[in-house]
Amino acid sequence: MIVDGHAHVFRAAGASARGVDELIPAEREAPVERLLAAMEGAGVERAVLVAVDRDDDYVPAVRRERAERFAAIAVAGPEELGRVDGVDPVAALERRREGFEFDGLRTGWLGEPGRPLAESPALPTFRRLAEWGLPLWSYPAPDQLPLLLELPALVPGLTVVLNHLGFFPEAMRVDAAGRPAFEEPLVPERVEAVLGLSRHPGVVMMISGQYALSGAPYPHPDLDELVGRCVEAFGAGRCMWGSDFPWIEREPGYAETLALLERALPGLGGADLDAIRGGTALRLFPRLAVAG
């Protein structure tokens, strides 16, 4: 079973409570029907949907209506991260999940830069996620790197998924194809630090986002070495593929994005390829393996 480990669907702002920015202006939409059509064309059976922001109400609705096909990742708000005075972050997380049965939580903020993670107001939330067996979808800014490096040891039961080859987003722009783009996204020192996280068994690497990280056109051969190092460091059983739909829908295409693994790693064995293209995601979200 092939599983897309990271995709976005959203409605136009007039039909949804989502936010609006340069990447997803008010009129832009990527309904789930388009994702399903792309998945069918590429032989992908399940997907993990990542909300576009804290207020996204479309992903929760799709999760409820099509639970047999999709897992869903919520985006943490300030309440769940302990950044609102007088609000218990764990209580806020529990209230949030009563209305949206999310399967993981995404955040770019782990704590105050320059302070130890042990002092972070978000730490109780990370511990509750570990108790629930829900992964943390990590997408931190560069100033969060020291806190990220502390996280696996401080919350050893927490599964941490490093989004998009573990890069640290900053200075995003939107390219001519309507996709996120970054200047110098793969700083060598950060890459080495992220690869070092492979020593923690609860850390998972997501192989995705090549279109935004590469300095070369498809099939992005300048990233082949890094993809190989990620698989070597983490092992196929802790790597997972994601399309990052809809940003790749037109360029290079959904099926073409799935094909990147075999292009980058032509010697990858069948069992390892199966793990990256679905097995790891099914281990994180086992109900997808039996749903339907």
Side-chain angles (χ1 to χ4, degrees):
M1 183 184 294
I2 301 178
V3 181
D4 184 344
H6 188 101
H8 305 281
V9 292
F10 50 88
R11 286 293 192 186
S16 174
R18 70 165 175 86
V20 173
D21 58 24
E22 183 183 7
L23 181 61
I24 48 171
E27 68 279 4
R28 188 171 190 178
E29 63 177 2
V32 70
E33 290 79 11
R34 281 205 339 238
L35 172 60
L36 285 167
M39 289 167 59
E40 182 176 356
V44 178
E45 298 184 49
R46 305 283 190 267
V48 181
L49 303 180
V50 182
V52 294
D53 60 27
R54 169 65 174 80
D55 299 318
D56 183 347
D57 56 3
Y58 185 53
V59 165
V62 172
R63 166 68 169 78
R64 287 192 296 270
E65 295 168 4
R66 302 175 184 264
E68 76 283 357
R69 298 294 298 271
F70 299 114
I73 307 298
V75 174
E79 298 88 353
E80 294 89 36
L81 296 174
R83 305 183 75 180
V84 177
D85 289 343
V87 176
D88 179 348
V90 172
L93 184 73
E94 292 172 345
R95 286 193 298 271
R96 179 95 180 273
R97 200 156 187 253
E98 288 175 0
F100 173 14
E101 194 177 356
F102 53 82
D103 303 284
L105 189 70
R106 190 185 203 193
T107 183
W109 191 89
L110 302 174
E112 292 296 336
R115 300 180 68 89
L117 184 63
E119 298 177 7
S120 172
L123 189 59
T125 287
F126 303 150
R127 287 176 169 154
R128 181 53 57 90
L129 289 174
E131 292 171 3
W132 284 344
L134 301 184
L136 182 74
W137 239 239
S138 173
Y139 195 49
D143 64 8
Q144 298 289 294
L145 175 57
L147 295 156
L148 177 63
L149 297 178
E150 293 182 56
L151 182 57
L154 198 57
V155 191
L158 179 65
T159 296
V160 179
V161 177
L162 304 171
N163 288 195
H164 309 320
L165 296 176
F167 96 111
F168 296 81
E170 60 180 338
M172 190 198 81
R173 58 182 175 83
V174 179
D175 70 11
R179 309 175 303 181
F182 304 87
E183 299 297 330
E184 300 185 23
L186 297 170
V187 177
E189 293 80 5
R190 297 175 193 161
V191 169
E192 297 305 320
V194 165
L195 289 173
L197 286 169
S198 63
R199 68 183 184 275
H200 298 286
V203 180
V204 173
M205 174 62 72
M206 184 188 298
I207 298 177
S208 60
Q210 292 96 318
Y211 70 90
L213 307 177
S214 173
Y218 183 89
H220 316 305
D222 56 332
L223 294 181
D224 289 355
E225 180 183 0
L226 176 57
V227 172
R229 291 187 67 196
C230 288
V231 176
E232 180 180 5
F234 287 87
R238 286 196 289 133
C239 290
M240 60 190 296
W241 167 76
S243 71
D244 209 19
F245 179 94
W247 320 130
I248 48 76
E249 187 176 16
R250 287 186 294 134
E251 178 61 40
Y254 192 90
E256 289 77 6
T257 301
L258 176 60
L260 276 173
L261 276 176
E262 292 175 276
R263 289 176 178 270
L265 302 165
L268 195 68
D272 287 343
L273 183 63
D274 288 346
I276 299 171
R277 296 203 308 185
T280 301
L282 293 174
R283 176 172 59 82
L284 296 185
F285 308 106
R287 67 174 187 80
L288 293 180
V290 297

